Amino acid sequence: MARKLSGKVVADVTALADKAWFDAKPERDFMLRDPAPLEFKEPLGDAGEGFSWRVLVVRLDGGSRLRLPISLAWDLHNDHAKEQHLAVIFEQVAPEQAKALRAAVVAKQLN
C-alpha cells in the first residue's frame, strides 16, 4: 500500500556550502570540489579512465556563483588546486556565456 508523503523544498545545500567557502576566502574566485549526488539534472556519465568528475565553482557578481562539471585527473586534490590553474581550466572549458559573465566581474574589479 502506498502512503501519501508530504514535504517541502529545502535550500540547495551545495549552494549554501559554496557560499560559506567563498565567504571564508574572499580573495578566491575559483573553487574545486566533488559533485554532490544528483546535483546536476542529467547524469554526468563516465569521467574516463584515471579521471573523476569535479565541480568548478566560479564566483560572479553580487555573490552569485556558477557551477561547471569537469572531468579531471583523479590524483588532483581539490584542496591543492591553485587559483591560477582553476582560472586557466575555466577559460578552457567554460561556455562563452559563462566567460562573458566572468569578464564582467573582472572588469568591475579593475574599476
Side-chain angles (χ1 to χ4, degrees):
M1 180 170 151
R3 294 187 292 170
K4 183 176 180 177
L5 300 175
S6 63
K8 64 179 181 175
V9 176
V10 295
D12 181 348
V13 177
T14 57
L16 295 174
D18 293 346
K19 179 184 180 322
W21 191 91
F22 282 112
D23 287 348
K25 295 172 175 52
E27 74 285 358
R28 296 287 303 261
D29 288 325
F30 297 92
M31 174 182 72
L32 190 63
R33 64 168 171 75
D34 293 335
L38 305 173
E39 181 173 357
F40 298 98
K41 291 181 183 179
E42 299 293 325
L44 295 176
D46 184 20
E49 176 122 8
F51 291 82
S52 63
W53 284 109
R54 314 293 178 78
V55 180
L56 177 60
V57 186
V58 184
R59 184 195 325 242
L60 298 175
D61 201 19
S64 62
R65 291 164 306 282
L66 173 69
R67 297 182 276 187
L68 297 170
I70 58 173
S71 176
L72 293 172
W74 65 269
D75 59 351
L76 172 65
H77 298 281
N78 296 345
D79 294 337
H80 297 153
K82 299 201 180 320
E83 184 83 357
Q84 305 89 319
H85 298 139
L86 296 178
V88 169
I89 292 170
F90 174 78
E91 287 300 320
Q92 293 174 344
V93 303
E96 290 305 317
Q97 184 179 10
K99 290 178 188 177
L101 290 171
R102 178 69 191 147
V105 171
V106 172
K108 190 173 183 179
Q109 289 172 345
L110 294 176
N111 290 332

